[in-house]
Amino acid sequence: MKNKITIAIDGYAACGKSTLAKDLAKALGYTFIDSGAMYRAVALYCLENHLIDTNGVVNLEQLEKSIGSLQIEISSDQKVFLNQKDISEAIRTPRVAGIVSKIAAIKLVRQKLVEQQQALGKAGGIVMDGRDIGSVVFPNAELKLFVTASDAIRTQRRLAELRSKGEQQSEADVLDNLKSRDLQDSTRAESPLIQVADAMVLDTSNLNREEQLAWALLEVQKIIEQQ
Ligand code: CDP
């Protein structure tokens, strides 16, 4: 078996990154890390501990004091733990989605999470998805993908996901959240979402899960053969 590679997947909200990353990791026997879940965990922590007020103002001083002791873990079955508490469901609510981009724009939050993400990927054999994976977390990743999908498809996918969890949100509100996060994520000062020059673009609008996986696996195979 040739060396295990690192796969970095970036893209806008609800474009199918995590689904592809998860499927790729399963097919290759690699570790999958949803870096967005880690930012959502910090956002949930801020909500639960009143570190963000109703106007969206973050108590940076308090956050700085507590961030060092925050323990965020992702188990192999993709459960997310914050200080040993299972928060897998709690981080997927519209409330968390409403503030996560604000929290993810904070430098000290990014420093802490990027450090943890780089440590997780040190040995290779990892598929990580997010917004700054190919640009900042793993700039030397052997395969970088930039995933896109139309607004309509992204909205339908996220609506279905929320409904399956019993969350009721209108189509307009879902689209609104996706667009506002995309704007915040791609215009922030700290490692904004960009399409790096060496990323391959994959538009998943007209591909099903199996088709997008097959496409990506072919790319992985080409890279492994060239090693
Ligand atoms: O799944 P979805 O596309 O809705 O987003 P996510 O991957 O769960 O990420 C939630 C938010 O975390 C994003 O909108 C970004 O603000 C932030 N994020 C980030 O800044 N950097 C990453 N590497 C991953 C997520």
Side-chain angles (χ1 to χ4, degrees):
M1 176 73 186
K2 303 202 176 153
N3 284 343
K4 288 189 167 189
I5 65 168
T6 296
I7 304 174
I9 305 184
D10 291 297
Y12 294 107
C15 63
K17 303 178 299 289
S18 293
T19 304
L20 175 63
K22 201 183 302 169
D23 289 349
L24 264 176
K26 192 170 175 212
L28 296 165
Y30 285 14
T31 302
F32 159 57
I33 301 286
D34 170 4
S35 70
M38 300 169 76
Y39 289 94
R40 286 172 178 265
V42 179
L44 179 70
Y45 178 84
C46 290
L47 283 173
E48 286 183 341
N49 293 278
H50 313 289
L51 299 187
I52 183 164
D53 70 16
T54 45
N55 296 318
V57 179
V58 180
N59 184 340
L60 285 176
E61 206 180 310
Q62 204 48 49
L63 182 58
E64 192 165 1
K65 278 188 195 150
S66 33
I67 193 117
S69 59
L70 281 195
Q71 273 182 43
I72 300 168
E73 276 144 354
I74 305 183
S75 64
S76 54
D77 58 349
Q78 295 313 312
K79 293 226 175 315
V80 186
F81 295 87
L82 175 63
N83 297 336
Q84 272 90 50
K85 188 176 151 209
D86 186 348
I87 53 157
S88 316
E89 297 286 320
I91 56 170
R92 304 287 165 197
T93 60
R95 206 164 149 243
V96 169
I99 66 147
V100 63
S101 289
K102 176 142 216 160
I103 302 301
I106 301 170
K107 189 173 181 173
L108 78 109
V109 172
R110 303 204 71 81
Q111 277 170 342
K112 151 112 181 159
L113 297 190
V114 168
E115 199 178 290
Q116 195 179 340
Q117 289 153 7
Q118 287 175 333
L120 287 167
K122 225 158 89 194
I126 191 156
V127 190
M128 192 176 290
D129 79 296
R131 303 293 187 289
D132 59 343
I133 311 305
S135 56
V136 175
V137 181
F138 299 130
N140 298 322
E142 287 87 350
L143 178 62
K144 297 181 186 179
L145 301 178
F146 190 85
V147 182
T148 64
S150 69
D151 288 354
I153 293 280
R154 296 193 296 139
T155 307
Q156 290 314 316
R157 285 180 184 160
R158 186 47 47 93
L159 256 182
E161 210 176 301
L162 287 167
R163 284 188 184 141
S164 75
K165 291 179 179 143
E167 294 278 352
Q168 293 305 328
Q169 225 192 354
S170 73
E171 204 169 311
D173 283 349
V174 170
L175 177 61
D176 218 48
N177 174 258
L178 299 182
K179 298 293 266 182
S180 103
R181 278 199 288 133
D182 288 349
L183 183 67
Q184 288 182 72
D185 294 344
S186 47
T187 55
R188 69 185 175 216
E190 282 304 317
S191 38
L193 167 64
I194 49 161
Q195 183 190 319
V196 290
D198 52 348
M200 303 187 70
V201 178
L202 171 64
D203 183 348
T204 67
S205 305
N206 299 309
L207 297 179
N208 64 30
R209 203 167 167 162
E210 291 74 30
E211 289 167 334
Q212 63 189 33
L213 174 63
W215 179 90
L217 278 175
L218 263 183
E219 296 306 324
V220 173
Q221 205 180 337
K222 284 186 215 162
I223 290 166
I224 290 180
E225 274 164 12
Q226 280 164 15
Q227 278 184 337

